[in-house]
Amino acid sequence: NIQASFVDSAGNLWLGSRAGLSVKNGNTFKNVPQAATYKFNNIYDIIEDPNKAKWIAGYGQGILYFNKQSTKLINEKNGLVSNNVRSLFYLDDKIYVGTLNGISIISTKDFSIINPIFTAHKDYLFNVTSFFTVNKKVYATTINNGLYEVTTKKLIKVSDLKKGFSSVVHNGKLYIGTQYNLHEINPVNFEIVKSFNISSVHRFLSVNDDLYLISSGIFENKGGLFQLKNNEIIMMSDFFRSIID
C-alpha cells in the first residue's frame, strides 16, 4: 500500500504508505521514529524544504514536519483548513497544502498558516490534487472545481478543466493529467493545446529533456509507464519489463 515516494537531497529513499513512513539508507529500510511516535500513516505526499526538513502529508492526520532538532504535527487544531492532505508544494519559504476541502499556505519561517478563501460548491468538496508554478505564480488542480491560481487571499479560477489528478511544467510546457486524457495546456490562457489518449496520469518525472509519466489505468486497461518525447507518447512498460526479465 505504498502511496508516496521521495528521494531526498542526501539520496535516501522515503516511502509513505497506509501503514506509515519508512526510509532506505544504503541497503536497509527502517521505520521513521517521528512517524511512529505520532502513529502517522495513510501518507499521500513527501517533500523536503531547502533546510532539509521533511514535510509529510497524511490523509486524515494533517502534516508531519521534522528536522534533526524537532518534530511538529500540523493539523486543524493549528489552523490547517483540513486534516485530509493529499499534496504538498514548496516555493519561496512557503508550503502549499492541498486538502480535501481547500488550500493552506504555511510559512517555513514561523509556521503561521493562511487559508485562502474559495467559492465552495453545494454538492462536493474542494478537492485539491496537485500544484504547479508558472511565472512565479502558484496554481492548483482539483477534482471537481477546475484550475485555480493560489494567492494568499483567495483562490482564483483560471480554467474549468476538471478531474485533474496531476500537473508538471516541463521544458516550458504545462501538462495536466485528468481522468480521461493527458493535456498540454497553454500557460497563458490555460486552454488545451493538445490531448493525449492516456487516462489517470498520477505521477510525472522530468529527466533531462524527456518526460516520463505513470498512468494507473483505473477505468480502462491503458495504464503503465510512458515517455513523452518530441511531442509523441512512447509506451515504456514493455521495455523495462524486458530488462527485468
Side-chain angles (χ1 to χ4, degrees):
N1 288 322
I2 294 173
Q3 300 173 136
S5 62
F6 176 73
V7 177
D8 67 17
S9 56
N12 301 312
L13 172 63
W14 298 76
L15 298 177
S17 72
R18 292 183 180 179
L21 182 66
S22 299
V23 61
K24 182 177 185 289
N25 188 337
N27 296 320
T28 304
F29 274 101
K30 67 176 183 179
N31 293 328
V32 177
Q34 293 92 332
T37 298
Y38 284 96
K39 297 180 180 179
F40 199 86
N41 51 32
N42 205 16
I43 294 167
Y44 267 68
D45 204 2
I46 305 166
I47 65 171
E48 180 183 60
D49 66 28
N51 294 320
K52 300 184 180 181
K54 308 300 185 295
W55 299 75
I56 317 298
Y59 200 80
Q61 294 178 276
I63 297 171
L64 179 66
Y65 163 90
F66 59 88
N67 56 22
K68 291 184 178 180
Q69 291 77 36
S70 63
T71 303
K72 183 184 294 287
L73 188 63
I74 304 171
N75 52 30
E76 292 176 9
K77 293 180 180 179
N78 310 116
L80 204 66
V81 68
S82 171
N83 285 337
N84 295 311
V85 182
R86 63 182 299 167
S87 57
L88 299 170
F89 183 75
Y90 172 87
L91 184 70
D92 295 338
D93 298 323
K94 295 181 180 68
I95 301 292
Y96 293 81
V97 184
T99 80
L100 182 66
N101 193 31
I103 292 172
S104 291
I105 304 173
I106 305 174
S107 168
T108 58
K109 294 181 178 180
D110 59 10
F111 296 97
S112 59
I113 300 175
I114 297 172
N115 296 322
I117 62 173
F118 60 91
T119 301
H121 194 282
K122 63 182 181 67
D123 294 327
Y124 41 72
L125 296 172
F126 197 93
N127 195 342
V128 180
T129 51
S130 74
F131 296 97
F132 61 91
T133 180
V134 175
N135 295 327
K136 298 184 179 180
K137 294 181 179 180
V138 175
Y139 298 86
T141 62
T142 69
I143 294 293
N144 295 304
N145 298 76
L147 306 182
Y148 285 77
E149 179 186 347
V150 183
T151 73
T152 55
K153 292 184 178 181
K154 63 181 179 179
L155 307 180
I156 305 168
K157 179 178 276 193
V158 297
S159 169
D160 199 42
L161 183 66
K162 296 180 175 63
K163 304 297 182 184
F165 293 152
S166 58
S167 57
V168 68
V169 177
H170 175 76
N171 288 344
K173 295 182 178 181
L174 169 61
Y175 298 95
I176 294 179
T178 70
Q179 178 175 329
Y180 300 106
N181 292 286
L182 170 68
H183 300 291
E184 180 188 339
I185 304 294
N186 186 316
V188 176
N189 57 22
F190 295 98
E191 294 182 355
I192 295 174
V193 176
K194 184 176 181 178
S195 297
F196 303 89
N197 187 26
I198 301 178
S199 62
S200 303
V201 173
H202 282 269
R203 182 65 63 90
F204 293 97
L205 177 65
S206 295
V207 182
N208 300 322
D209 290 330
D210 297 328
L211 182 64
Y212 293 87
L213 45 126
I214 295 175
S215 166
S216 62
I218 295 174
F219 303 98
E220 299 178 68
N221 189 24
K222 297 191 299 183
L225 174 65
F226 300 87
Q227 181 185 26
L228 179 60
K229 188 170 185 177
N230 298 325
N231 216 29
E232 298 293 334
I233 294 292
I234 304 170
M235 167 61 92
M236 300 297 292
S237 297
D238 291 340
F239 171 75
F240 283 103
R241 187 179 296 115
S242 66
I243 294 176
I244 295 173
D245 293 341

